[in-house]
Amino acid sequence: MRVVIAGLGYVGLPLAVRAAEVGHEIVGYDVDTVRVGRLARGESYVEDVPAQRLRAVLAEGSFRASTDPADCAGFDVALISVPTPLRDGVPDLSYVEACAELLADHLRPGATVVLESTTYPGTTEEVVQPILEKVSGLTAGTDFALGFSPERIDPGNPTWNVVNTPKIVSGVDETSLRRIKEFYDTVVDTTVTVSSPREAELAKLIENTFRHVNIALVNEIAMISNDLGIDVWQAIDAASTKPFGFMRFTPGPGVGGHCLPVDPSYLSWRAQRALGHSVRFVDLANDINNHMPDYVVRRLIDALNRRQRSVSGSRILLLGLAYKKNTGDARESPAVRIVQLLRQMGAEVRVADPHVVEAAHGAPDLAMVALTAEELRGADAVVLLADHDEFDYDLIGSEAKCLLDTRRRLHGPTVEVI
């Protein structure tokens, strides 16, 4: 089938390459000319898509990237995987709306449109469907298939990927569901059907809200444990030996990526708008996780003070700009907030991250450096934020004079763990 995938980020690109590999004709559409140019040269900016896989589908002619809306014409299936950010706590669906309008211009009877972008329950039928129908003059369920299939991409995960992670699928009617399932059955190992897009949209929010709330719980416990003089990591290790009724979550510098800082707030916003009250667990988790970067900076200040140093004028080396290990995804990364706070206090901030290839929003002119003995020795303090496997932890431990570890990867007399 001729498939258009709109949005070539951490969701769209792996899906596009996989769909091309199984025989579909893929047009990847993105408004970012730099991204499209890199893809045309066979350069991948997503770890889950090695350059050799990208170059293979480019050579076969089964995948091409474009910034020209005209290249979206003639599609059999179109997938929307564009950003859905929050603006001042309110969902911003402008990218979804613009994409729906673009696809509607090329919508034909018998075609299929699927929203993959994470959003609040009701978006597919209340936002996307009216745009497609108004612009095209066609009717969803009668003239074309429409549904929602939430992305489940976990960047950098070596075990679960776009192929072997079960894919939730839904449609606005039974025919739409059947067509959408038939398409995804060619791309992934397992599809899971639900009765309507609303259930699929809520399922995605439940998944991420569960993680968000539990991470906030262990983050709060970590802060309390430090004040009580208790090793929270040892306690978590002990609790993790229970074979039932417990799932391990660990503290960190905050949450990042598109999912956890954003998705649960979509659920809370929808509940507030439709029912007049928010989801209190989400609001509390937001408050705790959003302030973890401030807590990390406060712990760093304390560590420097004990060494008769102030943050102002100190050189701080941050290890990891990405929000999680072994990925270059710096979207909503807590490291960016930490950079901002330290700069405001007068620190000279440098960052080492072998994975980040796209600039992080909110941290302009950031000094990106290689992790060397010279950089470590020249830093007044080193903070481990993303525990990439590529980091030389023996070198870090031997050369850094003051270490704050937010991931419990380091040990030694100069190391403090949150």
Side-chain angles (χ1 to χ4, degrees):
M1 289 184 281
R2 179 176 173 81
V3 181
V4 168
I5 298 182
L8 296 174
Y10 285 87
V11 174
L13 185 59
L15 188 58
V17 171
R18 169 60 180 172
E21 288 173 338
V22 299
H24 297 296
E25 176 192 348
I26 307 300
V27 174
Y29 174 79
D30 203 295
V31 297
D32 189 328
T33 57
V34 174
R35 273 187 174 182
V36 170
R38 294 189 64 181
L39 293 174
R41 295 190 297 271
E43 299 175 7
S44 176
Y45 41 82
V46 175
E47 288 88 351
D48 296 339
V49 181
Q52 60 267 29
R53 287 183 59 201
L54 173 61
R55 291 168 185 161
V57 294
L58 286 170
E60 292 172 359
S62 55
F63 169 75
R64 64 189 177 96
S66 175
T67 58
D68 186 355
D71 288 333
C72 297
F75 69 82
D76 299 303
V77 176
L79 311 180
I80 300 174
S81 59
V82 297
T84 50
L86 286 172
R87 307 289 187 194
D88 298 323
V90 177
D92 178 3
L93 298 182
S94 59
Y95 298 107
V96 171
E97 293 166 346
C99 191
E101 290 178 2
L102 182 154
L103 294 174
D105 286 333
H106 305 291
L107 188 58
R108 304 175 300 167
T112 297
V113 178
V114 183
L115 178 63
E116 286 224 357
S117 304
T118 305
T119 183
Y120 59 82
T123 301
T124 303
E125 295 162 289
E126 297 171 11
V127 177
V128 176
Q129 182 174 336
I131 293 174
L132 293 174
E133 292 181 336
K134 179 179 179 180
V135 175
S136 69
L138 303 176
T139 302
T142 301
D143 301 314
F144 67 93
L146 175 64
F148 179 78
S149 179
E151 58 89 1
R152 279 176 161 175
I153 298 294
D154 186 16
N157 191 320
T159 303
W160 296 102
N161 53 54
V162 71
V163 178
N164 64 4
T165 301
K167 194 87 168 77
I168 296 173
V169 295
S170 67
V172 296
D173 66 346
E174 290 186 6
T175 300
S176 293
L177 176 60
R178 176 177 54 79
R179 290 182 182 175
I180 292 168
K181 184 180 187 305
E182 287 174 352
F183 167 72
Y184 282 109
D185 280 340
T186 68
V187 177
V188 303
D189 292 340
T190 306
T191 53
V192 179
T193 61
V194 295
S195 60
S196 83
R198 289 172 180 262
E199 282 74 22
E201 290 159 340
L202 180 59
K204 173 63 176 179
L205 298 186
I206 291 173
E207 294 170 11
N208 287 335
T209 301
F210 173 83
R211 292 170 56 211
H212 188 49
V213 168
N214 281 281
I215 290 171
L217 172 63
V218 294
N219 278 335
E220 185 168 41
I221 291 174
M223 291 185 280
I224 294 171
S225 298
N226 179 71
D227 293 338
L228 294 174
I230 299 171
D231 185 342
V232 68
W233 292 91
Q234 187 178 153
I236 291 172
D237 287 344
S240 299
T241 63
K242 185 179 182 181
F244 56 90
F246 182 81
M247 181 175 290
R248 182 186 179 92
F249 288 86
T250 55
V255 294
H258 178 275
C259 293
L260 299 194
V262 176
D263 296 353
S265 295
Y266 267 62
L267 178 60
S268 187
W269 178 87
R270 180 60 168 172
Q272 182 67 51
R273 184 179 176 89
L275 306 174
H277 59 79
S278 62
V279 182
R280 289 173 290 173
F281 273 108
V282 170
D283 294 342
L284 180 59
N286 283 341
D287 182 63
I288 294 170
N289 288 333
N290 290 346
H291 285 89
M292 283 306 293
D294 303 74
Y295 176 71
V296 170
V297 170
R298 189 164 71 250
R299 288 287 301 274
L300 178 60
I301 292 171
D302 292 341
L304 285 170
N305 284 343
R306 286 191 291 272
R307 292 164 175 81
Q308 288 77 52
R309 294 284 305 180
S310 66
V311 171
S312 180
S314 291
R315 179 191 291 185
I316 311 298
L317 177 61
L318 304 181
L319 303 182
L321 185 63
Y323 80 92
K324 61 177 289 191
K325 67 183 292 185
N326 299 338
T327 177
D329 192 350
R331 294 174 300 169
E332 308 294 334
S333 173
V336 175
R337 174 62 178 162
I338 291 170
V339 169
Q340 294 170 341
L341 291 170
L342 291 173
R343 281 178 165 178
Q344 290 169 8
M345 295 177 182
E348 176 190 350
V349 182
R350 301 189 182 199
V351 177
D353 194 314
H355 287 276
V356 174
V357 296
E358 290 191 322
H361 297 294
D365 305 319
L366 190 58
M368 300 294 294
V369 299
L371 179 58
T372 64
E374 290 74 21
E375 282 292 341
L376 290 164
R377 286 195 295 264
D380 295 296
V382 177
V383 185
L384 179 64
L385 298 176
D387 53 333
H388 298 314
D389 290 337
E390 287 84 344
F391 286 147
D392 186 338
Y393 292 99
D394 290 336
L395 178 68
I396 297 168
S398 64
E399 298 293 344
K401 59 178 76 80
C402 174
L403 278 164
L404 178 61
D405 182 1
T406 70
R407 302 292 185 178
R408 199 210 194 182
R409 190 67 183 259
L410 294 155
H411 304 279
T414 63
V415 179
E416 293 188 25
V417 181
I418 67 164

